[in-house]
């Protein structure tokens, strides 16, 4: 069973389109994240979300919006796609409790987004 | 937010030698420091981690040290093998449960 799964794995789309990437975790974690990995391999946090609070990185354009229908899902919607949005997007999840041994962030397999 | 710096950005070592990667963080309240390995085209995966109440942790050929006062932590890989070649990321988790990553180190182990 895949712990954190995201779809699609590859996404090619034209500038100006709106697209979504889905993410699901079956680990029972209370926090989910979206990260952007650019061509230089930098992993930048975009959002973190638990059932209480959404934290948005201030550098993320408001064309990006996370939507969480329930605790196990955090989807990423992107409006009016631009060339600079091309990157690999990773979903991740973790458990906040410090007492829990497994406190690391588990990553999905990534979605390679190419905007043409 | 937290700022994590990582050095070096690239590292080449001969097989069997040791590799050391260093990171610093800015938020003194950060309490958990994982290290991830990312192979080409794959997801980052945890290789070792350390909590703020521990100074050193070892798992076979890899070890991590943490200096809370200086706010820096390091990854040590001994007896490197070609399969250790990958990009390595350090990270710091703040009290808001957000993980901030270093800029990555591309490690090449030369056979």
């Amino acid at each position: 069973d895949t712990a954190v799964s995201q779809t699609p794995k590859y996404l090619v789309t034209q500038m100006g389109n709106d697209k979504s990437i889905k993410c699901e975790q079956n680990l029972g974690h209370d926090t989910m994240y979206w990260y952007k990995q650019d061509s230089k391999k930098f992993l930048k946090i975009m959002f973190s979300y638990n059932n209480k609070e959404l934290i948005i990185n201030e550098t993320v354009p408001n064309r990006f919006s996370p939507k969480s229908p329930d605790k196990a899902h955090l989807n990423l919607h992107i409006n009016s796609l631009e060339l600079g949005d091309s990157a690999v997007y990773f979903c991740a999840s973790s458990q906040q409790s410090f007492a829990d041994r497994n406190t690391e962030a588990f990553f999905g397999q990534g979605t390679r987004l190419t905007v043409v | 937010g937290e700022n994590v710096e990582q050095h070096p950005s690239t590292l080449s070592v001969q097989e069997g030698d040791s590799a050391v990667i260093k990171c610093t963080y800015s938020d003194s309240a950060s309490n958990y420091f994982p290290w991830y390995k990312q192979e080409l085209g794959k997801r980052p995966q945890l290789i070792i981690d350390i909590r703020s109440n521990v100074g050193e942790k070892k798992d076979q050929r890899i070890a991590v040290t943490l200096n809370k006062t200086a706010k820096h932590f390091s990854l040590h890989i001994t007896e490197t093998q070609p399969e250790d070649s990958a990009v390595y990321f350090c990270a710091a988790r703040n009290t808001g449960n957000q993980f901030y990553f270093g800029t990555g180190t591309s490690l090449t182990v030369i056979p």
Side-chain angles (χ1 to χ4, degrees):
Chain A
D1 287 343
T2 303
V4 182
S5 60
Q6 56 183 106
T7 56
K9 189 172 181 180
Y10 300 98
L11 182 55
V12 181
T13 188
Q14 290 186 322
M15 282 177 56
N17 284 350
D18 303 337
K19 290 294 179 184
S20 296
I21 306 171
K22 295 185 177 180
C23 180
E24 175 182 6
Q25 55 97 4
N26 62 7
L27 297 167
H29 287 165
D30 57 13
T31 308
M32 296 185 72
Y33 314 84
W34 278 103
Y35 283 86
K36 178 180 180 180
Q37 187 169 44
D38 60 21
S39 58
K40 294 183 179 180
K41 303 297 184 184
F42 297 161
L43 270 169
K44 293 183 180 177
I45 188 167
M46 301 176 70
F47 307 99
S48 68
Y49 184 81
N50 62 25
N51 55 10
K52 301 174 184 176
E53 187 178 15
L54 170 66
I55 300 176
I56 303 172
N57 183 313
E58 60 188 12
T59 66
V60 175
N62 57 15
R63 298 182 293 104
F64 290 78
S65 58
K67 296 199 188 310
S68 180
D70 56 57
K71 186 179 172 180
H73 296 83
L74 184 66
N75 303 325
L76 181 65
H77 295 268
I78 316 170
N79 295 326
S80 303
L81 278 155
E82 301 177 357
L83 293 176
D85 297 333
S86 296
V88 179
Y89 292 84
F90 284 99
C91 175
S93 72
S94 78
Q95 184 64 29
Q96 186 161 7
S97 171
F98 196 82
D100 189 328
R101 290 190 63 180
N102 297 323
T103 52
E104 75 265 30
F106 288 81
F107 283 82
Q109 77 271 30
T111 296
R112 182 173 294 276
L113 171 66
T114 303
V115 182
V116 297
Chain B
E2 171 69 279
N3 181 40
V4 179
E5 296 189 356
Q6 181 173 346
H7 300 279
S9 57
T10 60
L11 180 59
S12 292
V13 299
Q14 291 288 333
E15 182 177 358
D17 288 349
S18 295
V20 180
I21 303 170
K22 298 183 178 182
C23 290
T24 61
Y25 62 99
S26 61
D27 185 352
S28 57
S30 288
N31 55 26
Y32 174 69
F33 306 91
W35 286 86
Y36 286 82
K37 176 183 181 182
Q38 186 179 27
E39 296 177 339
L40 189 63
K42 302 219 174 149
R43 74 187 79 192
Q45 292 195 295
L46 181 79
I47 55 170
I48 195 167
D49 55 11
I50 192 165
R51 293 178 177 166
S52 57
N53 58 351
V54 176
E56 184 174 356
K57 183 176 177 181
K58 187 175 181 180
D59 183 5
Q60 299 183 339
R61 295 187 299 109
I62 59 174
V64 59
T65 59
L66 171 66
N67 183 326
K68 278 185 63 179
T69 303
K71 290 188 284 188
H72 65 71
F73 55 117
S74 301
L75 176 72
H76 303 252
I77 306 174
T78 59
E79 301 172 27
T80 54
Q81 301 167 1
E83 51 265 38
D84 293 331
S85 296
V87 178
Y88 291 81
F89 293 94
C90 62
R93 185 187 69 180
N94 66 9
T95 53
N97 204 31
Q98 293 180 300
F99 289 83
Y100 289 86
F101 285 79
T103 48
T105 297
S106 179
L107 173 64
T108 302
V109 179
I110 304 165

